[in-house]
């Protein structure tokens, strides 16, 4: 997918593009600015999600920003690896609640369908990055937040990390959640997806959700050091990554996974809204 596509997605989701036509963070006056900052440490590109007011929850704006930065880094031949980090106590609390309510009210409404689709396509974009990717995950990861981490090639987790699937939200998994779990962390997949269990740092490595667990204050530094091991030779890193992706595609691709899940997820969102409306009617 092209940068033009993500410019259009971003502008339609948030109805805002900067005067020069480039994607920009939400720096307009308001209480909850959002951005995804792209910085460099040598050949390592670091993408930092800054949407702490919503616990780094994903919406069309954040997904569009992430996608545009991913494309920019992927198109730069001097980049040999990527780190996906997030500011604040939690890595990603899942899907934005406002978006989920809108999608639940009318799952087929074009705006809501496009915005959730933009998030899911961003996962696919991350999973198919031309360079190796590292998620530096701290605090809570819920639902789609687990997807964001597992769409990366490797997860470095902090010692306060907590993984939680969709089960306790009363919503069917979406965004390729099941295929990502089965591919990346098969030991954790049934516990998170079927039984609604919460997995903490103690079991994150054993179940395959993380490569290693480090103290919170060492998280970003460790993730960057791991990324540097791949980024030392960007040209070779890209060649190996292309072959690795081709070999991995023998399994269900992330995009096929989210398409498989999507109808059932939309049903579960609509069911939740109908139940809420029913309770409201009973109270009335």
């Amino acid at each position: 997918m092209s940068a033009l596509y993500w410019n259009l997605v971003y502008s339609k989701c948030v109805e805002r593009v900067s005067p020069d036509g480039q994607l920009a963070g939400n720096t307009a006056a308001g209480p909850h600015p959002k951005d995804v900052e792209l910085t460099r440490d040598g050949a390592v590109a670091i993408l930092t999600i800054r949407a702490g007011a919503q616990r780094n929850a994903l919406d069309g704006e954040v997904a569009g920003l992430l996608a545009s930065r991913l494309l920019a880094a992927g198109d730069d031949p001097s980049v040999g690896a990527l780190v996906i980090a997030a500011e604040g106590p939690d890595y990603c609390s899942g899907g934005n609640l406002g978006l989920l309510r809108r999608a639940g009210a009318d799952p087929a409404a074009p705006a809501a369908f496009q915005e959730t689709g933009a998030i899911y396509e961003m996962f696919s974009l991350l999973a198919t990055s031309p360079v190796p990717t590292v998620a530096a995950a701290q605090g809570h990861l819920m639902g789609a937040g687990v997807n964001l981490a597992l769409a990366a090639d490797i997860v470095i987790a902090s010692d306060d990390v907590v993984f939680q699937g969709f089960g306790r939200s009363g919503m069917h998994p979406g965004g390729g959640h099941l295929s990502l779990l089965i591919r990346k962390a098969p030991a954790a997949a049934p516990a998170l997806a079927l039984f609604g269990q919460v997995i903490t740092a103690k079991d994150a490595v054993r179940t395959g959700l993380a490569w290693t667990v480090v103290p919170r204050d060492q998280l970003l530094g460790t993730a960057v050091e791991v990324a540097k091991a791949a980024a030392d030779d960007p040209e070779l890193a890209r060649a190996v990554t292309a072959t690795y992706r081709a070999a991995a595609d023998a399994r269900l691709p992330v995009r096929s996974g989210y398409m498989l899940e999507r109808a059932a997820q939309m049903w579960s969102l609509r069911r939740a809204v109908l139940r809420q409306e029913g309770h409201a009617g009973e109270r009335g």
Side-chain angles (χ1 to χ4, degrees):
M1 297 209 173
S2 68
L4 175 60
Y5 169 84
W6 284 104
N7 275 335
L8 291 171
V9 167
Y10 179 81
S11 61
K12 283 184 176 295
C13 288
V14 301
E15 299 181 348
R16 177 180 171 274
V17 177
S18 62
D20 62 359
Q22 298 299 311
L23 283 169
N26 181 6
T27 55
H32 305 309
K34 290 175 273 190
D35 195 12
V36 176
E37 183 183 35
L38 171 56
T39 57
R40 292 285 295 270
D41 187 335
V44 176
I46 305 166
L47 306 188
T48 304
I49 304 168
R50 292 195 167 132
Q54 60 186 44
R55 298 177 67 198
N56 295 318
L58 298 172
D59 55 21
E61 181 176 7
V62 174
L65 286 164
L66 266 169
S68 69
R69 308 306 190 237
L70 283 167
L71 286 167
D75 288 343
D76 184 344
S78 70
V79 172
L82 268 168
V83 172
I84 313 297
E87 207 171 55
D90 296 313
Y91 188 67
C92 180
S93 59
N96 178 275
L97 290 178
L99 168 59
L100 295 179
R101 291 190 188 101
R102 292 194 301 276
D106 186 355
F113 195 80
Q114 180 184 39
E115 190 169 1
T116 55
I119 295 169
Y120 299 163
E121 289 288 356
M122 180 271 293
F123 295 147
S124 180
L125 192 65
L126 174 57
T128 56
S129 168
V131 297
T133 54
V134 181
Q138 79 278 7
H140 284 78
L141 290 78
M142 294 179 278
V146 176
N147 296 7
L148 179 62
L150 293 187
D153 293 312
I154 198 170
V155 178
I156 308 298
S158 66
D159 53 9
D160 63 350
V161 78
V162 177
F163 293 89
Q164 182 177 324
F166 285 83
R168 298 192 178 194
S169 67
M171 183 169 68
H172 189 282
H177 185 75
L178 300 177
S179 61
L180 282 166
L181 277 175
I182 291 166
R183 289 174 69 184
K184 298 293 188 68
L192 283 176
L194 300 180
F195 299 101
Q197 296 300 294
V198 172
I199 296 178
T200 63
K202 176 174 67 75
D203 295 314
V205 174
R206 178 182 64 80
T207 57
L209 286 168
W211 170 247
T212 190
V213 171
V214 299
R216 177 69 169 264
D217 61 358
Q218 298 175 24
L219 177 62
L220 183 58
T222 302
V224 170
E225 285 305 307
V226 169
K228 283 181 176 179
D232 183 57
D233 183 341
E235 187 175 17
L236 177 61
R238 287 167 179 264
V240 174
T241 300
T243 308
Y244 179 88
R245 303 256 183 269
D249 278 348
R251 300 184 182 186
L252 190 65
V254 173
R255 192 171 194 278
S256 299
Y258 88 63
M259 294 295 288
L260 181 68
E261 296 166 359
R262 194 155 197 197
Q265 187 189 46
M266 294 298 99
W267 161 80
S268 70
L269 285 168
R270 183 61 181 144
R271 186 186 66 158
V273 170
L274 289 172
R275 286 180 170 178
Q276 290 172 358
E277 291 174 350
H279 290 318
E282 291 171 5
R283 290 194 296 271

